[in-house]
Amino acid sequence: TCARCHAEIARTWRETGMGRSFYRPTAATYPAPASFSHKASDQHYELAEHDGKFFENDHQVDYVVGSGNHARTFLHRNPDGRLEEMPVSWYSEKGGYLAMSPGYDNAAQENFRRIVSDDCLFCHNGYPATLQTPDHAKPPDRVAEGIDCQRCHGPGRAHVESMGKAPILNPSRLTRDRQLDVCMQCHLETTSLRLPNAIRRFERAPFSYRPGEPLTNYQLFFDHAQGTGYDDRFEVAHQGYRLRKSACFLKSQMTCTTCHDPHQKQTADHFIKVCQTCHAQPHANIQNSTVGGNCLECHMWKRRSEDAVHTVMTDHFIQRRKPARNFLAELPEKAPVYRGEVVPYLPAQPGNELYTAVAQVQHESNLQAGIAQLEQAIAKTKPDAPDYYVELGKAWSKAGRQDLATHWFEEALRHRTNFVPAIRELAASLELSGNFAGVIELGEQPDTAALTNLGNAWLRQGNPGRARQVLEKALALNPDLPEAANLLGLTWLVEQNAGAAETSFRSAISIQPDMAEAHANLANLLAGRRDYKQAGVHFRKAIASNPGYAEAHHSYGLLLALMRSLDQALPELQAAVRLDPNSAQFHIDFADALAGKSRIAAAAEEYQRAITLAHEGSPEYEEAKHALGALPRSGALPKSGALGK
């Protein structure tokens, strides 16, 4: 529409990276056919094209994020309308190659289940056809395809319908701070690590920021405390963050458009001329980018980003001297965990102590101190918005106090009945505390996490049929729910349908290859049908994914003992006892294995511990007492133990 009157600007805009930020895949933008294997997670990916549609394994590629100047990442749209990021991306460096998407290069990567949030879309795409509510109740009706004129010039309907008589925003006429806000709505990120970088104000819906208003009216920004080891970290969306550290920025009235015309691409010669408007004398011999280097090479060099290690970008921190180090050296992907105070970044309006307190606890950066700070801020200001109470409840849940978590989630619901985030978190907290009846009382909610928790509650309450119905509903909304698929397998087991259970467990593993619970459940099922070799494979995978999984060590130890491999069984059974020293049965089974190796004294100690732990008259108590009494008569494996069954 804008191109009708501004054809040349529209043409050059489409050649910029922003003008090609989000689109549907084509043969030119999707690298198929191709294969990629990821060693750390032992996953293999096939990129293919069939009948004009593009796929990464069995997931259709619906959209592409990224112009291709640095990278292209691919998205799949779920049946419930939400977008998922795909694990393999294309990078332009070295002529173009495939590698894992940022954050995926590790053994416990998210595969096809990372949901693309509203905040991510906000920086990569235009406004959706229908704005969402602040509580993210449902995905947008239609996803836009690319950042457009309105992201910088504001809503254009009135301007278009009046044939240009109604004014439209010209960002160059704004104050310096408001001009910067227009760019920083997408190009300011203090960090992509879990800090948080920013918190959108709870009353503001996604995409509701409009150019010309203070950016802090839409969201508040936060940073690491200085001197905590993160001051020189360099990340993909650091343009505004790094520029604001520069003497050129601090000692002038420059804005982003001092150097960049957002409507078109610029050459190095353009940037040199901009630098020379303030720095004509120091390097007067440099007239263009081909003579003796240029300003960018010495003062704004390219650098490999630490959060997306396959991309090389210009560092916008303008520095007088370039340190003697290789800024292009390859980097391993790592996400250091920050633990410390979270500090406000941009100047904001007074009265933001609530958000500063939320920032301490949201990603557990400063959890314990933040809980006290948030409680005090809530007591002082008594906010009506339920979001603050939900954040405090989540913080107490992370701290292991489900009783207090439940209290604050219920408080949130007193402020707004049927607030979906509060119901979802309340169900999770009740489940963690073992109150499955309470989860059922909350009823079905239009949320896959809440449905999964409800399915688990029905299963724990002895109603596998109802559990199956709820879990199947969750999986119909989003097939990529490993927890729901694993729980569905358990319901099939209770209903004595081993074939369907195996299918569900394998589905959970295909969605989340490192899901220890699904591997252990599948292993137990395979062991029951005497497929000991494959059962052992999945027990080992469960333990590799979660070395602290006591039940997996225990079950694998029993399997090895059953296969008469007591030397291998002993370390697994011992690990189970170490990880869960209060399980009488674990001590009994470990003692059985020790007795089988004629280690009578050690076996006697374990039986005695089991007797101490078990309730008098319980099966474990009687089993341990009988086995202990049998030891003096024989060093053979007691027939009463689980290993003898």
Side-chain angles (χ1 to χ4, degrees):
T1 301
C2 299
R4 296 173 189 171
C5 298
H6 306 282
E8 182 59 18
I9 289 177
R11 183 189 67 78
T12 58
W13 161 257
R14 291 191 184 99
E15 296 175 357
T16 68
M18 288 187 291
R20 296 176 287 116
S21 61
F22 197 100
Y23 44 91
R24 295 183 184 274
T26 64
T29 58
Y30 190 66
S35 300
F36 182 78
S37 294
H38 184 227
K39 184 178 293 185
S41 63
D42 192 28
Q43 294 299 298
H44 181 76
Y45 300 96
E46 291 288 339
L47 283 66
E49 182 269 333
H50 301 295
D51 300 324
K53 296 181 179 180
F54 302 90
F55 297 87
E56 194 167 303
N57 286 3
D58 58 347
H59 286 63
Q60 182 172 327
V61 179
D62 293 301
Y63 298 100
V64 182
V65 176
S67 65
N69 291 347
H70 299 100
R72 293 190 183 104
T73 294
F74 312 109
L75 307 183
H76 166 71
R77 191 157 197 175
N78 277 335
D80 68 356
R82 293 189 297 174
L83 294 172
E84 289 180 332
E85 183 176 352
M86 293 181 161
V88 177
S89 290
W90 179 89
Y91 297 93
S92 63
E93 192 184 13
K94 304 174 185 176
Y97 65 99
L98 296 176
M100 299 302 285
S101 300
Y104 281 82
D105 196 8
N106 53 72
Q109 53 104 342
E110 294 177 272
N111 215 29
F112 292 94
R113 62 184 192 279
R114 179 188 285 179
I115 296 298
V116 178
S117 69
D118 302 315
D119 295 321
C120 181
L121 283 179
F122 178 78
C123 288
H124 286 285
N125 207 10
Y127 297 118
T130 303
L131 287 181
Q132 298 170 249
T133 58
D135 63 0
H136 306 211
K138 70 186 190 73
D141 298 329
R142 179 177 62 81
V143 175
E145 292 184 39
I147 292 172
D148 62 14
C149 311
Q150 296 183 109
R151 291 307 300 272
C152 299
H153 294 278
R157 180 180 296 276
H159 181 72
V160 171
E161 291 180 347
S162 68
M163 301 296 290
K165 294 179 181 178
I168 194 167
L169 178 70
N170 184 340
S172 67
R173 296 173 184 168
L174 297 172
T175 65
R176 183 197 189 203
D177 286 343
R178 297 296 80 79
Q179 286 186 51
L180 289 167
D181 284 347
V182 172
C183 300
M184 291 192 306
Q185 64 173 306
C186 294
H187 294 281
L188 175 66
E189 187 175 64
T190 61
T191 181
S192 64
L193 298 177
R194 292 174 60 81
L195 181 67
N197 151 70
I199 299 176
R200 178 163 34 83
R201 290 184 180 273
F202 295 141
E203 71 275 12
R204 295 296 295 262
F207 292 96
S208 66
Y209 172 74
R210 294 293 180 264
E213 70 170 317
L215 186 56
T216 51
N217 283 3
Y218 176 72
Q219 60 184 0
L220 300 175
F221 293 84
F222 300 93
D223 198 5
H224 310 94
Q226 286 190 347
T228 52
Y230 295 84
D231 294 345
D232 191 45
R233 186 172 171 85
F234 176 67
E235 302 182 17
V236 166
H238 258 180
Q239 294 88 356
Y241 180 67
R242 297 286 284 178
L243 176 65
R244 293 172 64 89
K245 293 175 177 282
S246 307
C248 289
F249 177 86
L250 296 170
K251 296 180 180 180
S252 76
Q253 289 297 303
M254 72 177 294
T255 67
C256 304
T257 56
T258 301
C259 302
H260 295 276
D261 180 349
H263 293 137
Q264 59 185 330
K265 295 191 296 183
Q266 279 97 34
T267 65
D269 288 345
H270 165 81
F271 295 118
I272 290 173
K273 291 176 182 177
V274 173
C275 294
Q276 288 177 332
T277 60
C278 294
H279 305 283
Q281 294 305 315
H283 302 296
N285 62 312
I286 297 180
Q287 300 299 321
N288 58 60
S289 60
T290 62
V291 180
N294 64 60
C295 308
L296 275 67
E297 291 178 3
C298 295
H299 303 286
M300 294 179 68
W301 49 88
K302 289 188 178 296
R303 181 172 173 179
R304 188 170 300 280
S305 61
E306 296 176 53
D307 57 339
V309 297
H310 299 289
T311 60
V312 172
M313 308 183 76
T314 298
D315 187 351
H316 280 66
F317 180 18
I318 307 168
Q319 300 179 62
R320 176 172 290 184
R321 294 181 178 85
K322 184 177 181 179
R325 53 188 273 210
N326 184 2
F327 287 97
L328 301 179
E330 292 189 1
L331 296 172
E333 182 172 278
K334 59 181 180 179
V337 177
Y338 177 72
R339 290 291 179 263
E341 183 184 8
V342 179
V343 298
Y345 177 64
L346 285 180
Q349 299 167 348
N352 289 310
E353 62 268 26
L354 275 166
Y355 285 102
T356 301
V358 169
Q360 311 304 313
V361 302
Q362 198 170 76
H363 292 165
E364 302 178 63
S365 296
N366 194 19
L367 185 61
Q368 292 299 330
I371 287 175
Q373 188 175 339
L374 184 53
E375 284 187 330
Q376 291 170 8
I378 287 175
K380 176 183 175 182
T381 61
K382 297 179 174 56
D384 188 53
D387 312 73
Y388 301 105
Y389 304 97
V390 169
E391 293 292 344
L392 182 54
K394 288 163 63 176
W396 275 120
S397 180
K398 292 169 186 173
R401 290 294 304 272
Q402 301 308 324
D403 55 335
L404 293 173
T406 297
H407 165 75
W408 289 110
F409 296 141
E410 290 173 342
E411 183 66 24
L413 290 170
R414 278 190 282 273
H415 283 261
R416 187 183 302 171
T417 305
N418 297 325
F419 186 53
V420 173
I423 295 172
R424 178 175 60 241
E425 296 296 339
L426 177 58
S429 184
L430 291 170
E431 181 185 44
L432 286 171
S433 60
N435 186 354
F436 300 109
V439 177
I440 292 171
E441 187 177 345
L442 288 174
E444 289 191 16
Q445 303 296 327
D447 178 88
T448 54
L451 286 170
T452 301
N453 288 333
L454 180 59
N456 184 40
W458 279 118
L459 181 62
R460 296 295 190 98
Q461 293 292 92
N463 193 332
R466 189 74 183 93
R468 178 166 48 79
Q469 292 174 359
V470 172
L471 294 167
E472 287 176 341
K473 183 177 291 188
L475 288 165
L477 290 172
N478 181 2
D480 293 329
L481 298 173
E483 296 87 356
N486 180 56
L487 287 168
L488 183 59
L490 292 175
T491 67
W492 285 122
L493 278 184
V494 175
E495 294 181 329
Q496 299 184 346
N497 189 334
E502 180 177 354
T503 299
S504 293
F505 293 142
R506 292 191 183 277
S507 175
I509 291 168
S510 70
I511 300 166
Q512 183 179 341
D514 66 329
M515 189 176 189
E517 295 84 355
H519 280 293
N521 289 333
L522 178 58
N524 281 317
L525 187 152
L526 293 170
R529 66 170 63 145
R530 299 179 183 275
D531 188 351
Y532 299 148
K533 182 177 180 181
Q534 283 302 308
V537 169
H538 287 283
F539 276 133
R540 288 192 293 274
K541 287 186 176 181
I543 293 167
S545 297
N546 182 5
Y549 193 175
E551 188 59 52
H553 284 285
H554 174 249
S555 297
Y556 186 36
L558 294 181
L559 177 70
L560 291 168
L562 190 63
M563 297 169 67
R564 302 301 175 188
S565 299
L566 282 180
D567 288 336
Q568 294 175 281
L570 277 170
E572 300 298 335
L573 295 168
Q574 186 174 25
V577 167
R578 174 177 53 81
L579 292 166
D580 187 359
N582 295 320
S583 170
Q585 191 62 58
F586 286 7
H587 285 283
I588 292 169
D589 294 337
F590 182 36
D592 287 349
L594 289 168
K597 294 296 293 182
S598 299
R599 294 171 58 180
I600 306 303
E605 289 182 7
E606 294 299 323
Y607 286 133
Q608 189 59 58
R609 289 193 182 99
I611 292 169
T612 302
L613 290 167
H615 298 294
E616 187 171 352
S618 67
E620 293 86 357
Y621 181 89
E622 296 300 329
E623 182 179 354
K625 188 175 180 181
H626 175 78
L628 180 62
L631 279 179
R633 297 190 294 274
S634 171
L637 184 68
K639 297 299 181 184
S640 62
L643 302 183
K645 294 178 181 176

